[in-house]
Amino acid sequence: MDRRQHIVTAFDRDLETIEALLARMGGLVEAAVVDAIRALETRDEDLAEAVRRGDKAIDALEEQIDVETARLIALRAPTASDLRYVLATMKIAAALERCGDYAKNLARRSTVLAQMPAIDGASGSIRRMGDAVRLQMKNALDAFIQRDEALAERVRLGDHDVDQMYNTLFREFLTHMMEDPRNITACMHLHFIAKNIERMGDHATSIAEQVIYLVTGNLPDDERPKADHTALAAHAHKQEGAWQSP
């Protein structure tokens, strides 16, 4: 085997290692989302705590991916197309890490909500929205593994549906608060949970856009449709950081 072939083979092995780490990270994030929402629905504080503890493994995988990609760039001198792959991988890992943070935030709020009277229908609505976002995330990661531009574009367009679900939930919570002021605290927590899930959908869309960049060499140049028009949306985005652990 000549030196060039040896380098190519080593590079391919490095890419396989990074992709395996990313797939593992994606699996952990998907599981965290499912478990956080189940903890909310069943008022399972032990499960919520497990989600919070599990975020460390997600963070560790992102750090490992960063190390592996930096080493690959330093040692392998990737070509333009290979470098595009490496950069896309780093951004996807960062998006997954943020989704892990949001799942941890869901778990923290579900623990608080477990001490309050339940809001009728809220946990089921949250679960349906969470299922939709988890599917978006799965499809975005599948698009990355398969280099499937069409699937990535479907994820991108599907973000509009997630925004509509969020808007519907926002109106439901507002109605509960207006009908009975005693619901205000619980509904505010539920609103932030819904907003966190909506933000996960945005990150799934960002992953899909990185797939399009990876396949075509260009990021989508048109604004994806957004349907988040709630009055508290901007406020929620500012406040969500207050519930993120350092």
Side-chain angles (χ1 to χ4, degrees), residues 15 38 47 61 82:
L15 289 184
R38 183 183 299 126
L47 182 58
L61 281 169
D82 289 332

Side-chain angles (χ1 to χ4, degrees), residues 162-175:
V162 173
D163 289 341
Q164 292 284 20
M165 295 176 79
Y166 168 70
N167 291 339
T168 299
L169 277 173
F170 173 81
R171 289 191 293 270
E172 289 179 8
F173 298 148
L174 190 60
T175 298

Side-chain angles (χ1 to χ4, degrees), residues 9 31 71 76 98 111 134 165 174 185 189 204 223 235 241:
T9 301
R71 186 181 69 84
R76 308 300 184 199
R98 288 299 294 144
T111 300
R134 185 190 59 78
M165 295 176 79
L174 190 60
T185 300
H189 281 292
E223 289 291 329
H235 178 67

